[in-house]
């Protein structure tokens, strides 16, 4: 049956489970993860805003990262919880478009902010004498604004492009939230080539950021290993390792989600991978940053 996108008023999301007990288990599990993410990121935001000792570039960027994490997990998880609790699968057409827009926006903002943060760590360790001049408060605000602002038109473009495609494969989305690749699967065969071009461009941009982060860390590790004192090396590593851990977690889950072979594609694996990259980083990031960080612990 041919159905045009204009006649679709809602999409059906993938259900996590078919039995009531498993649906409720999923609801409670997601509720626990969501509350942990809200609490962790919320505490970091409160600690950084209220403690003047944490008013430094590193913590300013960390505050922005926590805001992005709160946004990205709030885009996908609450709707999935509601669907499991009430045993429904539907999401409105506008709701689906909003999810696509917000998810692309927050994921891209996180990546660009992590790139900015690697520059901050690079200056702090490789050019410590220039740190105050290169990363004054105005420069930090400009860099954060660039990280947020540059991805806005990109998210608009992705969303407009995806939802302008004619859809003729029904309205069942093979994921627990509206995701670009899953909506492309519903489009008529040749129409999605435009969006694929956009995805290729975004992959190139992402690769550019990735190379920038890698090169920053190569320089950082060279500088750290040349520090003569054991204590100095330890301090430098403890400044960089949380950021490196967050970048690795974010990129490895994202790459696994989008680069895995279609032969290994099953609905349950797709679901697991989506949970990995959309739910795990926002809830684990606050832990990574506050576990070894004495300043944040003191502030809290």
């Amino acid at each position: 049956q041919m159905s045009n996108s204009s006649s679709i008023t809602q999409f059906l999301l993938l259900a996590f489970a078919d039995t009531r007990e498993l649906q409720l288990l999923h609801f409670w599990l997601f509720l626990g993860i969501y509350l942990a993410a809200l609490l962790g990121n919320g505490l970091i935001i409160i600690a950084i805003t209220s403690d003047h000792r944490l008013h430094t570039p590193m913590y300013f960027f960390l505050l922005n990262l926590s805001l992005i994490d709160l946004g990205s997990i709030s885009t996908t998880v609450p709707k999935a919880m509601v669907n499991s609790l009430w045993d429904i699968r539907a999401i409105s057409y506008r709701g689906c478009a909003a999810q696509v827009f917000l998810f692309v926006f927050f994921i891209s903002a996180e990546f660009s902010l992590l790139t900015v943060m690697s520059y901050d760590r690079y200056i702090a360790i490789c050019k410590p004498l220039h740190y105050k001049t290169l990363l004054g408060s105005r420069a930090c605000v400009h860099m954060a604004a660039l990280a947020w602002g540059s991805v806005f038109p990109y998210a608009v473009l992705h969303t407009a492009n995806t939802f302008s495609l004619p859809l003729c494969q029904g309205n069942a989305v093979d994921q627990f939230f509206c995701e670009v690749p899953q909506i492309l699967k519903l489009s008529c065969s040749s129409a999605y080539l435009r969006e694929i071009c956009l995805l290729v461009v975004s992959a190139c941009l992402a690769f550019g950021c990735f190379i920038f982060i890698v090169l920053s860390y190569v320089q950082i590790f060279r500088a750290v290993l040349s520090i003569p004192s054991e204590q100095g090396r330890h301090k430098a590593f403890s400044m960089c390792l949380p950021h490196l851990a967050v970048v690795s977690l974010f990129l490895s889950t994202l790459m696994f989600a989008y680069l895995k072979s279609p032969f290994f594609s099953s609905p349950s694996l797709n679901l697991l991978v989506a949970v990995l990259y959309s739910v795990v980083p926002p809830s684990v990031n606050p832990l990574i940053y506050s576990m070894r960080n004495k300043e944040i612990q003191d502030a809290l």
Side-chain angles (χ1 to χ4, degrees):
Q1 164 221 329
M2 292 289 286
S3 72
N4 196 353
S5 51
S6 58
S7 64
I8 290 179
T9 56
Q10 60 174 22
F11 290 92
L12 297 176
L13 297 173
L14 190 63
F16 267 94
D18 37 15
T19 66
R20 197 69 197 117
E21 291 77 15
L22 283 174
Q23 281 176 339
L24 290 174
L25 176 69
H26 158 248
F27 168 77
W28 288 112
L29 189 67
F30 259 34
L31 181 66
I33 293 171
Y34 187 54
L35 291 177
L38 289 184
L39 182 69
N41 288 296
L43 283 175
I44 282 187
I45 291 167
I46 292 165
I48 293 171
T49 45
S50 58
D51 191 329
H52 64 92
R53 288 171 304 174
L54 299 184
H55 292 178
T56 65
M58 175 174 139
Y59 292 111
F60 171 71
F61 293 131
L62 181 54
L63 173 95
N64 279 274
L65 185 70
S66 288
L67 289 169
I68 289 172
D69 281 338
L70 283 179
S72 76
I73 200 165
S74 300
T75 301
T76 56
V77 170
K79 178 62 183 160
M81 282 169 18
V82 166
N83 282 11
S84 282
L85 187 61
W86 299 121
D87 190 17
I88 51 174
R89 286 179 58 197
I91 182 171
S92 69
Y93 188 87
R94 281 180 180 174
C96 190
Q99 262 196 342
V100 165
F101 169 75
L102 289 169
F103 191 69
V104 171
F105 175 74
F106 285 120
I107 288 284
S108 314
E110 178 141 349
F111 199 17
S112 58
L113 190 75
L114 288 172
T115 310
V116 167
M117 287 169 88
S118 70
Y119 174 73
D120 165 64
R121 297 298 77 214
Y122 163 74
I123 299 293
I125 283 167
C126 300
K127 296 182 168 30
L129 299 175
H130 301 284
Y131 190 66
K132 285 252 179 2
T133 49
L134 286 170
L135 284 166
S137 52
R138 183 179 276 179
C140 289
V141 170
H142 285 168
M143 285 160 78
L146 187 68
W148 285 89
S150 60
V151 296
F152 183 80
Y154 171 73
V156 169
L157 198 62
H158 252 314
T159 312
N161 215 2
T162 304
F163 284 90
S164 65
L165 299 174
L167 306 177
C168 43
Q169 310 281 342
N171 67 341
V173 179
D174 226 2
Q175 193 51 274
F176 77 94
F177 62 96
C178 286
E179 192 187 31
V180 173
Q182 302 303 337
I183 292 169
L184 292 187
K185 283 185 185 171
L186 305 178
S187 69
C188 309
S189 54
S190 61
Y192 65 83
L193 287 172
R194 256 189 340 192
E195 179 59 23
I196 291 206
C197 291
L198 194 58
L199 286 172
V200 169
V201 171
S202 40
C204 294
L205 287 171
F207 189 66
C209 290
F210 174 66
I211 294 296
F212 181 86
I213 293 172
V214 169
L215 290 176
S216 300
Y217 271 96
V218 169
Q219 298 288 345
I220 286 170
F221 285 131
R222 277 170 59 184
V224 170
L225 293 172
S226 66
I227 295 173
S229 75
E230 176 84 20
Q231 196 183 0
R233 278 204 298 274
H234 181 74
K235 187 175 181 221
F237 270 128
S238 67
M239 277 168 72
C240 293
L241 289 179
H243 178 253
L244 196 57
V246 166
V247 170
S248 309
L249 175 72
F250 179 70
L251 287 181
S252 54
T253 53
L254 207 58
M255 280 157 83
F256 185 63
Y258 285 102
L259 301 179
K260 69 178 191 311
S261 158
F263 300 111
F264 294 119
S265 189
S266 71
S268 51
L269 182 67
N270 286 346
L271 203 59
L272 181 69
V273 168
V275 169
L276 265 181
Y277 83 87
S278 64
V279 177
V280 174
S283 35
V284 175
N285 285 353
L287 261 179
I288 294 175
Y289 268 108
S290 53
M291 220 159 35
R292 300 275 306 277
N293 192 316
K294 191 142 178 8
E295 289 172 319
I296 285 191
Q297 288 170 2
D298 291 349
L300 289 172

